[in-house]
Amino acid sequence: MLQIKGTIFDIRSFSLHDGPGIRTTIFFKGCPLCCAWCHNPEGQKVEIEKINCTRIVDSKKFPLSELVGYEISVAQLMQQLESDRPFFEQSQGGITLSGGEPLLQSAFCKAVLQAAEEQEIHTALDTCGFATNAVFADVAQHAKLVLYDLKIIDLHQHRLMTAENNDLILKNLEWLSKQSIPIFIRIPLIQNITDTEQNIHALRQIIEKTPHIESIDLLPYHQFARNKYKNLNLEYTLSELDNYPKEKAEELQFFFKNSAPRVTIGG
Amino acid sequence: MNPRISDLRKKSLEAVPSISAERALLVTEYYARFDTAQKPVAIQRAEAFRHILLHKFICIQDNELIVGERGPNAKAVPTYPEISIHSLEDLDILNTRSKVGFKVDEPTKKAYKEVIIPFWKGKSQRDYIFNNMTDAWKQAYTAGIFTEFQEQRAPGHTAGGEKLFKTGMLDYIQQIDNQIKRFTKTDETADRLNELQAMKIAAQSMIDYAQRHAATLQLKLNVCNDTKRMEELCEMIQICQRVPAHAPQTFQEALQHYWFIHLGVITELNPWDSFNPGRLDRHLLPFYRKGIADGTLTRERAKELLEAFWIKFNNHPAPPKVGVTALESNTYTDFALINIGGLNEDGSNAVNELSYLILDVIEEMRLLQPSSMVQISKKNPDHFIKRALKIVKTGFGQPSFFNTDEILQELLRQGKSITDARNGGASGCVETGAFGTEAYTLSGYFNLNKILELTLFNGFDSRTLQHIGLKTGTLDHFENFDQFYNAFEQQLQHFIDIKIEGNNRIEQLFAERMPVPFLSLLIDDCITNAKDYNAGGARYNTSYIQGVGLGSICDSLSVLRKFVFEEKSISPDELLEAMSKNFKFFDALRCRLIYDAPKWGNNHSYADEQAVRVFHSFFKAVDGRPSYRGGVFRINLLPTTSHVYFCSVLGAMPNGRLAGKPVSEGISPVQGADTNGPMAVLQSAAKIDHVCTGGTLLNQKFTPDFFEHPEAMNRLCALIRTYFLLDGHHIQFNVVKAETLRLAQKQPENFRDLIVRVAGYSDYFNDLGEELQNEIIARTEQGKTV
């Protein structure tokens, strides 16, 4: 199992917004959805791909192409994470599997979760929930915490904005709520897309009937990924959209305040 | 702060640093006496001290609670011609330089021209030092391989122990008298008896000096109409009559007592660093608790007195340095580093109510001086760390964080007793010492990168155009990296030998020519040993050489190892040519060196191996070598501002650093080279064996909005705890301001490590588009806490 390989595109330590304590986040490459607001577009394709970037030295620009993504085995990954352990132990932190969508590489994802479980490292699975229930249940049962993305409840709208239906997502959440794994619901706040009156009420309804939700993390839209689209030669459909207003995020924090023990802006 | 403190603080901030010739004239007057030269040196020094304290102007400002100024006024800084003479040009430079300047008025210049310079020329300690150095030493010094601390300032770097607050000058005199009785006067004991007599003169001079303050306060009382102030003055008169002759009894007495002693140390000579009350929260606690218990002190009053005490430190800029010394420590700070927290002598948690009160004072005062730090032991509560972090968050850069448990290991490794170790801490920047029992002097910064440069060019220094190093071979002759590294080690050893030989001569010159009987009273066991602090009288004697530029040399060695020796993708000739031309027309190569080689500070084992290797070589070359004073040489890794001086003597380096650009400071990564976040920096930094040093310095940058995350404090606290668990010595946090961000926009290559909090998540500043960068700059400015 330790030999299983996966493709990831980054390992970032001291990530502050991906669960409790000091965490190291592993970004899995590849995602079944294609959200218009995606802030990690380099994580969408599962294949290792070339990206254009520019290095600047003394105001001189050196364009070059770089590979995004690399293969790593569970054993290599765990070995690399070992030196982070004292930080996890001091802060009750751990690792977060994110992406992309970890479940797209389900065997690798499960193997990492199991290896971490064996080595007593806390794990959080940051997932969009889009997977068959069999796959989802098989993998998620090994996570100590699930960061579960909920975007749009209306099926048609969801399809329009993410290119996929949300029926699997809602089903998997229902399954998850019957387990004892703590859940953080993550809601991207995109103006007039996820924050419509209809959507936020629908979100609240679902959240309120789901047990084990410990936190709702509202993630306000930010333009910072714009450059990444350019470097990947991808079209950015939201290029005109402004940063999500702080006041509005706070209003929504208030709106959800009785739906979970904790509601954060930013996670 | 109350209006009085606010007013005194304002005056201190507004006072313009100036040079005062008062001390220099008094010293000259004493040495010009017909009979001075016939007296034993120790007696000369004690009598010169007495002469200054008896005749200097007593400056007491309105509404002060703690009194005493080293000069005739706040920030009027005396000079020490017996150590080094300022030339008229030096005075002009000091008067006009835009950074760390000192006003010099015409009478001062005149005194220098007519009295001070003619008398001391050729007779200062600096003259003796340069006359006694070998050619090899002078060449290396001129080339910028090392600096010499004692060239313009006396050996210092010491901190007071508990004894300081429990002993009066009369007690010292009693101890000395008992010691004198033990000796019969023979030729062999003459020096020791003279030293004891000198200490006695110094102690008595200090008592007289305090009495002069009492007398001046009496004059103030005579013309005072304000009843409240009259009461204060009466109390202050009594205090100055009691301390430092007797051990202090009250909180205010304790502060005044220390302040007189502090003034004594920094008036006697100009030790580097100044002086330090040591474990302040521990030392003051009995006085505080007693005052609170018997109703003579309130928390508010204690705070006011501490704040008045703080202002006294701020009134005392470091004596003006010139030349190389000014470059290596270009600051008004005189490095009195207040220690709070840590452990008691019995190993228990020392954080007490006064520790928190002192943190309140630090936060409210926001003064350059004194510097402040918190000692963190595993036994100290997180609450204490978080209280200190709240001050850090305001962008003040203080207090810094030190690892008590690791400091203990350092001191124990060096052979200190467990009690002496627990009474120790860090002073200056980050330097470990056994407070009250150790003379641990810094001897100079050592330019590790210059050694690498010389190795690359077969011992030739292209700046001074001299062949100053060993001929260890040209770069193209080395078959592999290990061979090259061996050559580097030989050069390192060669220059460390030169440095240590020079230091030992300098230590001898100080022992023989420049005893400090007053300082010797304060540090155990100078009285018992009847031996001066500068001659090895202290219980422990350590001489430090401070390595500079670990991050830079690590990155350069990684480039050599990877590209030149392993991949052979860059030829030795190409690299050396690019360096010689300062990378002009070699931009693409430079880009590769900067971006494609692994760098220190990213928890990258390939790069980190070079740092660990250099650390061991440096340690091996220095640690345990005997010093003239009877102690040993040891290493620490800190730069003050020498990394900026050292850059001026260095050409371009293999890591892509251009000539004239700073080298890395302390054990921090090269500016901008750490791209894996703060945790990776700590993981790299923890790979060197801090326990084998006498202190290491690590800087970390954060933007103010990092602290907006509700968990920021907990996570930083855990970050510190983990670094300390891994035996990290010290860490300080820089909260980055908007100006820095603007610079980062212009020079992204130097700021690759800069992480900013975007909305709800964090990212590298470099990764953000320009508009967003502008937005964050604007936001940072709004969130400005200063």
Side-chain angles (χ1 to χ4, degrees), chain B residues 91-124:
Chain B
L91 295 179
D92 274 337
I93 292 170
L94 290 170
N95 193 28
T96 51
R97 73 183 178 200
S98 60
K99 299 245 166 81
V100 198
F102 291 83
K103 287 292 147 212
V104 186
D105 61 14
E106 285 308 315
T108 302
K109 280 186 204 158
K110 191 161 175 263
Y112 255 85
K113 191 176 172 192
E114 292 171 9
V115 184
I116 299 162
I117 295 175
F119 183 85
W120 288 102
K121 204 161 187 199
K123 284 189 269 191
S124 78

Side-chain angles (χ1 to χ4, degrees), chain B residues 163 175 179 182 192 195-196 199 420 434 436-439 519-533 536-541:
Chain B
K163 164 179 119 166
Q175 288 168 24
Q179 278 296 102
R182 285 180 44 217
R192 304 172 93 182
E195 177 66 27
L196 288 170
M199 289 185 200
D420 289 340
T437 51
E438 183 176 16
L519 178 56
S520 303
L521 289 168
L522 312 170
I523 303 300
D524 289 332
D525 303 308
C526 294
I527 296 178
T528 321
N529 293 335
K531 209 171 182 188
D532 194 83
Y533 177 90
R539 189 173 306 163
Y540 310 106
N541 291 282

Side-chain angles (χ1 to χ4, degrees), chain B residues 398-628:
Chain B
Q398 286 191 34
S400 47
F401 296 78
F402 284 80
N403 183 356
T404 303
D405 307 313
E406 185 269 347
I407 285 175
L408 272 178
Q409 291 186 68
E410 286 179 31
L411 290 167
L412 292 173
R413 184 192 81 85
Q414 297 176 353
K416 274 98 176 173
S417 75
I418 184 72
T419 318
D420 289 340
R422 283 179 182 149
N423 288 333
S427 58
C429 293
V430 297
E431 298 87 312
T432 301
F435 293 174
T437 51
E438 183 176 16
Y440 50 113
T441 51
L442 302 195
S443 75
Y445 297 107
F446 194 85
N447 194 346
L448 293 167
N449 286 281
K450 190 74 190 173
I451 302 296
L452 176 63
E453 190 184 47
L454 288 172
T455 314
L456 285 168
F457 293 97
N458 196 16
F460 183 74
D461 179 28
S462 56
R463 194 180 62 95
T464 55
L465 297 175
Q466 280 185 314
H467 211 112
I468 60 171
L470 302 172
K471 286 188 179 166
T472 44
T474 53
L475 186 56
D476 52 359
H477 279 79
F478 298 109
E479 280 170 29
N480 54 44
F481 181 68
D482 283 348
Q483 271 188 13
F484 173 76
Y485 189 82
N486 282 341
F488 165 77
E489 253 188 340
Q490 285 173 40
Q491 302 275 7
L492 178 71
Q493 186 70 52
H494 173 69
F495 286 105
I496 290 288
D497 289 349
I498 293 174
K499 171 82 180 141
I500 286 181
E501 193 200 334
N503 280 130
N504 280 335
R505 286 178 187 222
I506 294 169
E507 283 190 11
Q508 183 176 2
L509 283 171
F510 270 97
E512 289 171 1
R513 297 190 71 249
M514 221 33 86
V516 275
F518 182 71
L519 178 56
S520 303
L521 289 168
L522 312 170
I523 303 300
D524 289 332
D525 303 308
C526 294
I527 296 178
T528 321
N529 293 335
K531 209 171 182 188
D532 194 83
Y533 177 90
N534 280 351
R539 189 173 306 163
Y540 310 106
N541 291 282
T542 312
S543 308
Y544 280 107
I545 299 178
Q546 307 103 258
V548 176
L550 186 69
S552 294
I553 191 169
C554 168
D555 292 354
S556 286
L557 286 170
S558 296
V559 160
L560 288 161
R561 180 179 158 194
K562 184 176 158 75
F563 293 141
V564 178
F565 290 106
E566 287 176 4
E567 292 179 1
K568 300 188 195 296
S569 57
I570 299 174
S571 76
D573 286 349
E574 187 187 5
L575 183 68
L576 294 183
E577 194 193 343
M579 284 168 59
S580 302
K581 294 193 170 143
N582 202 20
F583 294 107
K584 201 174 178 190
F585 309 121
F586 286 90
D587 295 310
L589 175 72
R590 182 163 174 252
C591 183
R592 238 182 111 194
L593 302 178
I594 291 176
Y595 285 93
D596 288 341
K599 300 284 190 286
W600 167 247
N602 294 292
N603 194 24
H604 193 306
S605 52
Y606 186 94
D608 297 352
E609 276 168 22
Q610 273 66 254
V612 171
R613 204 165 174 184
V614 171
F615 174 84
H616 277 298
S617 305
F618 184 47
F619 173 75
K620 206 171 64 190
V622 176
D623 191 73
R625 307 266 301 264
S627 73
Y628 175 82

